[in-house]
């Protein structure tokens, strides 16, 4: 797990060096953005990582669940969270059922592959299921099995606004980030370009 906390603002680069850049590449991933609590919107940027071997792996009755973040099913992932959270990667054998944790207010399931059923309805890859707080809920894999992301946590204190790479609790905060990025004052301004990779940057879009 690589967790980047933007806070008041962060930049990063994603590059490969050496012969690996010339070889054929394949990549499968799911990038996830978590909203910070209001009290931490202007916190200093940070980065934390945990190896896969440190992530709890839960196995039972045709289910394999890797807890990536937070607390669920009696297990705790290693990275500290800014608010109550859980995030897990679950692989279900055909017909296997997975109960969702009942200690989180907001809960959802994203279907990565296969099919799941819940409440008498079937959902294919790409579907996102959101459940009411307090309900006892389980999802069951279809005949080919399924891989799902199970997620949730505390309800946010209010709405969030998203523009390009900026997320904030108000449009005014978004506008301030836009101005700071367009100013391009990497030495003294709000943003710093990545060390040893500061020869170029991506300009903000016009709108």
């Amino acid at each position: 797990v690589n967790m980047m906390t933007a806070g008041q603002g962060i930049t990063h680069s994603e590059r490969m060096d050496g012969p690996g850049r010339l070889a054929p590449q394949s990549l499968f991933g799911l990038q996830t953005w978590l909203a910070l609590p209001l009290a931490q919107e202007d916190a200093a940027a940070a980065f934390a990582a945990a190896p896969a071997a440190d992530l709890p792996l839960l196995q039972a009755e045709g289910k394999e669940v890797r807890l990536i973040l937070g607390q669920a099913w009696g297990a705790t992932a290693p990275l500290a969270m800014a608010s109550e959270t859980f995030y897990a990667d679950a692989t279900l054998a055909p017909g296997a059922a997975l109960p969702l944790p009942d200690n989180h207010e907001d809960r959802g399931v994203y279907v990565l592959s296969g099919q799941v059923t819940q409440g008498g309805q079937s959902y294919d890859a790409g579907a996102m299921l959101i459940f009411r707080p307090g309900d006892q809920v389980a999802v069951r894999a279809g005949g080919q099995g399924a891989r799902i992301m199970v997620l949730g946590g505390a309800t946010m204190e209010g709405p969030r606004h998203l523009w390009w790479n900026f997320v904030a609790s108000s449009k005014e905060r978004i506008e301030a980030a836009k101005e700071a990025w367009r100013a391009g004052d990497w030495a003294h301004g709000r943003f710093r370009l990545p060390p040893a990779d500061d020869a170029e940057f991506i300009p903000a879009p016009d709108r």
Side-chain angles (χ1 to χ4, degrees):
V1 180
N2 293 313
M3 187 168 68
M4 185 169 59
T5 302
Q8 64 184 350
I10 193 170
T11 64
H12 73 290
S13 60
E14 298 175 4
R15 302 180 187 269
M16 294 180 62
D17 293 324
R21 294 185 63 178
L22 305 177
Q25 301 288 334
S26 63
L27 177 68
F28 173 80
L30 188 68
Q31 187 182 70
T32 305
W33 290 29
L34 305 177
L36 285 172
L38 294 179
Q40 298 190 38
E41 274 195 293
D42 292 324
F47 180 82
D54 290 351
L55 305 180
L57 180 63
L58 312 174
Q59 296 173 299
E61 300 170 336
K63 300 178 285 284
E64 183 174 284
V65 182
R66 177 82 68 178
L67 185 60
I68 299 171
L69 297 172
Q71 296 181 329
W73 301 288
T76 302
L79 294 184
M81 304 304 301
S83 62
E84 177 198 318
T85 303
F86 81 97
Y87 190 52
D89 177 5
T91 300
L92 309 181
L98 177 67
L100 270 64
D102 57 8
N103 60 328
H104 296 278
E105 186 173 10
D106 288 341
R107 296 165 300 161
V109 167
Y110 179 72
V111 184
L112 282 173
S113 61
Q115 184 183 78
V116 299
T117 60
Q118 203 286 320
Q121 293 185 297
S122 297
Y123 302 91
D124 297 319
M128 180 77 183
L129 289 67
I130 305 295
F131 302 104
R132 293 180 302 187
D135 286 355
Q136 290 188 339
V137 178
V139 294
R140 185 177 298 275
Q144 302 300 314
R147 185 177 183 187
I148 60 176
M149 303 303 295
V150 190
L151 62 150
T155 302
M156 292 188 299
E157 310 99 317
R160 296 299 189 272
H161 301 273
L162 173 65
W163 181 86
W164 192 45
N165 294 321
F166 301 140
V167 181
S169 60
S170 70
K171 293 182 179 179
E172 291 76 15
R173 286 176 177 269
I174 295 287
E175 290 301 319
K178 286 184 188 180
E179 293 178 11
W181 186 260
R182 286 173 172 154
D185 186 358
W186 315 122
H188 307 99
R190 176 173 177 177
F191 297 102
R192 303 285 191 273
L193 294 180
D197 195 5
D198 57 358
E200 58 183 1
F201 70 96
I202 300 175
D206 293 332
R207 60 179 186 176

